[in-house]
Amino acid sequence: MRYAVAVARTGHFGRAAEACAVSQPALSQQILTLENLCGTPLFDRLKSGVRLTPFGVEFITLAREAIKSADAVNVFALDRDGKPDRPLRFGLIPTVAPYLLPEIFPALAKAMPELKFTISENRTDALIAGLIDGSLDIALIGTEAPSNGPRLVSAELFDDPFVLATCRSEAVAAPVSLATVAPERILLLDEGHCFRDQTIAACRLDADPAGRTFAATSLSTIVEFVANGQGVTLLPQIALRKEANDPRIAIHSLATPGAGRRLSLVWREATPFGKTFAAIAELIRPSKIPTR
């Protein structure tokens, strides 16, 4: 299309080839290929040069708009060095957001002051759906990204081991073997949280045990029940500074093989901001979250 527009502008194959920095035979061949695709000539070949056919007039009008749009996409994707001119839509799972955001945002603001963010919390399946439908740019999750659907890039950040939280009045010898913990005493988040699924897997619980009626919407709620001696729970290490301050709570390490999760930053592979997202992951990756 660029060659055709150049021919229309100059009215001459030779001058169009010179303007496009290609040989005249190469340009002529491309114009012929384009005309074959269209099924009709774009130009009348005259002794003095070329002239647009009626079809060619309409084609060139549309081609100019298409080239203009393509150039705009090029500027959007490349000329701004892969950095967005709008706030980045950043989603995090609820068992990460309140504990990690206070640590990483000062570092991001210092290293990338030109970036702005809109933050949302949601469960993993909703975050992945947001990446797929374009309502989110990046998501911080604690499970592997799904392999079905659009290709996602997953940048591993760090491992987040689990510990056992009990009421301080309980006599517990650490490290604790999860096999020795009574299943009915383990308090869980409600369904849909990946941390719930990870706890069920680590403790080898029935996913829907009979008589289990408690299901919390947040770790803070669970910790309050634990503090009152109404059960025990697993906590991710990054949550300890916030959730283990209560003097009624005791934290116990787990016996080998233990349990944990790996946190990752995920984004769509088809994005012009991949380098920026990778840089964000690199800034998060070395963060050593205090445990107490």
Side-chain angles (χ1 to χ4, degrees):
M1 286 191 293
R2 292 184 190 277
Y3 291 169
V5 168
V7 173
R9 184 179 68 251
T10 62
H12 193 277
F13 277 83
R15 289 193 291 270
E18 186 178 15
C20 294
V22 295
S23 67
Q24 182 173 333
L27 181 140
S28 298
Q29 182 59 48
Q30 290 298 310
I31 296 295
L32 183 59
T33 299
L34 184 58
E35 290 177 322
N36 288 336
L37 287 172
C38 292
T40 188
L42 298 176
F43 302 97
D44 289 324
R45 276 71 169 173
L46 308 174
K47 289 184 178 180
S48 58
V50 296
R51 181 178 60 195
L52 285 166
T53 64
F55 175 85
V57 171
E58 295 186 42
F59 179 91
I60 292 299
T61 298
L62 294 173
R64 287 193 175 110
E65 290 300 316
I67 292 169
K68 181 179 178 181
S69 295
D71 288 341
V73 170
N74 191 57
V75 170
F76 170 76
L78 302 176
D79 288 359
R80 290 177 295 105
D81 196 27
K83 294 179 180 178
D85 58 359
R86 57 167 174 78
L88 280 177
R89 298 159 299 184
F90 190 177
L92 302 94
I93 53 176
T95 56
V96 165
Y99 316 117
L100 193 58
L101 283 177
E103 302 294 333
I104 65 174
F105 256 63
L108 289 174
K110 181 178 180 181
M112 301 179 173
E114 71 282 5
L115 293 184
K116 305 299 180 185
F117 296 87
T118 58
I119 305 299
S120 62
E121 287 186 29
N122 219 323
R123 299 176 184 184
T124 302
D125 55 352
L127 296 182
I128 296 300
L131 293 176
I132 291 172
D133 68 22
S135 59
L136 284 179
D137 296 305
I138 50 177
L140 204 160
I141 62 176
T143 60
E144 291 186 4
S147 57
N148 58 322
R151 292 192 61 177
L152 300 177
V153 175
S154 183
E156 294 180 351
L157 301 176
F158 55 86
D159 291 327
D160 186 21
F162 299 162
V163 297
L164 183 72
T166 70
C167 178
R168 188 167 294 279
S169 62
E170 296 188 24
V172 178
V176 178
S177 170
L178 289 176
T180 66
V181 179
E184 66 275 9
R185 299 201 65 225
I186 299 174
L187 303 179
L188 301 172
L189 290 171
D190 60 4
E191 293 184 8
H193 288 277
C194 60
F195 185 69
R196 171 193 172 94
D197 298 335
Q198 290 160 344
T199 299
I200 288 173
C203 299
R204 299 180 181 178
L205 302 178
D206 184 338
D208 188 22
R212 185 183 292 277
T213 58
F214 179 88
T217 58
S218 71
L219 290 179
S220 296
T221 300
I222 289 181
V223 168
E224 185 60 31
F225 274 77
V226 171
N228 287 315
Q230 294 172 279
V232 301
T233 195
L234 293 184
L235 290 176
Q237 184 170 298
I238 64 168
L240 295 186
R241 190 171 69 172
K242 179 177 174 64
E243 304 296 356
N245 280 333
D246 192 322
R248 298 173 296 166
I249 292 289
I251 300 299
H252 312 278
S253 60
L254 300 181
T256 304
R261 62 185 178 179
R262 179 164 293 174
L263 301 182
S264 299
L265 194 68
V266 183
W267 61 88
R268 282 187 68 139
E269 184 179 60
T271 175
F273 308 132
K275 289 183 179 179
T276 295
F277 298 161
I280 291 172
E282 187 62 29
L283 281 170
I284 298 173
R285 190 172 289 120
S287 299
K288 303 301 181 182
I289 310 303
T291 59
R292 299 300 294 268

